[in-house]
Amino acid sequence: MKRLIIFIDRLLYLHQCNDGCSRFWSLRKWLGRSLFLGAFVLANCFAALGQHVLPTPLKTELLSGTYQFGEKLSVGYSGKEKEVAKYLTGRLKAYVIIKRTSNTSSGIQLQLTDLPQEFGKEGYQLKIDEKAIRLKANTEAGLFYGVQSLLQLLPAEVQAGKEYSLLGYQIPGVLITDAPKYAWRSFMLDSGRQYQTPEFIKRYLDHMAMLKMNVFHWHLTEGQGWRIEIKKYPKLTEIGSKVAEGKEQQGFYTQKEIKEIVEYARKLHITVVPEIDVPGHSEAALTAYPELSCFGEAPKTVMGFSDVLYCGGREETYTFLKNVLDEVCELFPSPYIHLGGDEAPKGKWNKCPDCQGKIEEEGLKNSHELQMYFSSRLANYMKTKNKKVIFWGDVIYQDDFKLPDNVIVHWWNWRGHKDLALKNAIRNGHQVIANTNYYSYLNFPVSPWSNYFADRTFDMRTVYENNPSDIKEPDSLVLGMGCALWRDWYVYEHMVDRRVFPRIFALAEQMWSRGERMPFDAFYRIVKEKYPVLREKGIDIGPGMKDEIESDFSWE
Ligand code: ACM
Ligand code: ZN
């Protein structure tokens, strides 16, 4: 029996081989060589063991030998690898671990070293043979991603943080060489429309780490709620966090909670990039401080967006936003800050004497250029703090106004403008984050729900095969890829998992994996092998395809 398991494990790794060809083809070649031995049995064994690493590593090679866990495990590291070692041993709960502050020839060894340049800042090499599990990287981030891959080779219970002894557990010999496609791999959560608890957010940060995502884009302000405590302007949370009526629409994050979340993320090698969306999507802030709108009106709370913007003409707006950003920058060490800029209709600005006065004074052409002036002023202010500023693609649909060079464009509106923002950004030398609504908005369900009609749905195959953000040969200005979970139409916490899983695996694959893609059916089969792990983690997995939707299923 033991020999059979080792044999099957070996096949698993062959199946994973991705050395210039997809795993599917490797498997086919192997099957050819092995006279088509038991393909059906194999498929079932793969599913049962569920040991593939996702996102798919760059290269996986089979080695001779098998590592077997004993009664005790030594984890060797020197001072530099301490934090990763602590993370790893924390994940192997209830297993007897001896930590050694120098590397030994057995057990798990973590080593920061000089790997070739191709490994970059996040690559790693994981070598498993009968003697040891050796993990090497240039940086702690690389080691951390190697640990994520190693964890995926362990039983579901261990991956889920349950108490579980590894005594006798075997991993077949393997050499994994891996590095990501993109430096930016983000998940955006809309905490503006609906508030989520810090515990929920930490859980999602853990999921991101499993998927090797490294940027938590935190959308903190919306028409439906202002969620970040700003000490200088207490009404932002006293009033702004309660403007909507839904049960999960009350609440905000104190500065203490935010610091804890940023620190929690840091340990997972995730940068938290806050978004303060201006000048639109700001009705909650303007309900708290109506004097900052063009006509001093407290706006109606809207689920989408309205033309009640911060007044772009009065200096008070700029003073207020700079003061807010001073506190935001203190809370978030990220080198990036997101300042929105999407969906800001200019109806009020066109009529406002102050806005029109500013247009004249600054020699601008119209209200659109006033937004460019507004955005540029804030971006230049952020430059004084060494921050890059991200704006949604709306700021570059017309590109005759030169934006500051610290601006990054967040390409989103494929449905409305196809690749206009991508092209204009590149033409103007700005970096770009690809996060198109088709198909990286995970709030779009697989089948219609509430105000999400059929044209705002997509399935797992569509995102895997047809996501415009999944650029085959990206320009060097493409910084990376993102995905987003907006919370409009009352996507409450308990509905989120079903939206996100399993489709986020396809997005993570597109963000990380550099090799040639395997065909969808092979990929989806591997994703399904992860379901026992996801269930152990308490994730409520939704349907990936329409034909998987049972008659009694509900998105609610
Ligand atoms: C967006 O979806 N309004 C960025
Ligand atoms: Zn105005």
Side-chain angles (χ1 to χ4, degrees), residues 519-533:
F520 172 72
D521 292 327
F523 177 75
Y524 198 24
R525 189 164 48 77
I526 294 171
V527 169
K528 286 192 166 172
E529 289 171 9
K530 302 286 174 198
Y531 283 15
V533 176

Side-chain angles (χ1 to χ4, degrees), residues 67-101:
Y67 184 83
Q68 177 162 329
F69 286 84
E71 245 173 76
K72 293 178 183 169
L73 173 69
S74 79
V75 176
Y77 57 93
S78 70
K80 291 181 292 182
E81 298 92 3
K82 194 167 159 201
E83 200 165 298
V84 182
K86 195 167 163 207
Y87 174 84
L88 171 63
T89 52
R91 294 288 305 264
L92 303 178
K93 271 195 200 129
Y95 191 64
V96 183
I97 290 177
I98 307 162
K99 291 184 203 168
R100 295 193 197 283
T101 46

Side-chain angles (χ1 to χ4, degrees), residues 294 311-314 349 352 354-355:
C294 288
C311 178
R314 285 202 300 277
W349 278 15
C352 168
D354 292 316
C355 286

Side-chain angles (χ1 to χ4, degrees), residues 302-320:
V302 288
M303 185 58 84
F305 57 93
S306 76
D307 64 358
V308 184
L309 315 179
Y310 286 96
C311 178
R314 285 202 300 277
E315 282 304 303
E316 289 82 344
T317 297
Y318 298 95
T319 306
F320 169 86

Side-chain angles (χ1 to χ4, degrees), residues 483-501:
C483 61
L485 186 85
W486 298 96
R487 307 286 301 273
D488 44 356
W489 306 110
Y490 308 97
V491 180
Y492 287 133
E493 268 191 25
H494 75 276
M495 304 176 199
V496 171
D497 286 0
R498 262 170 269 161
R499 292 284 220 287
V500 172
F501 290 93

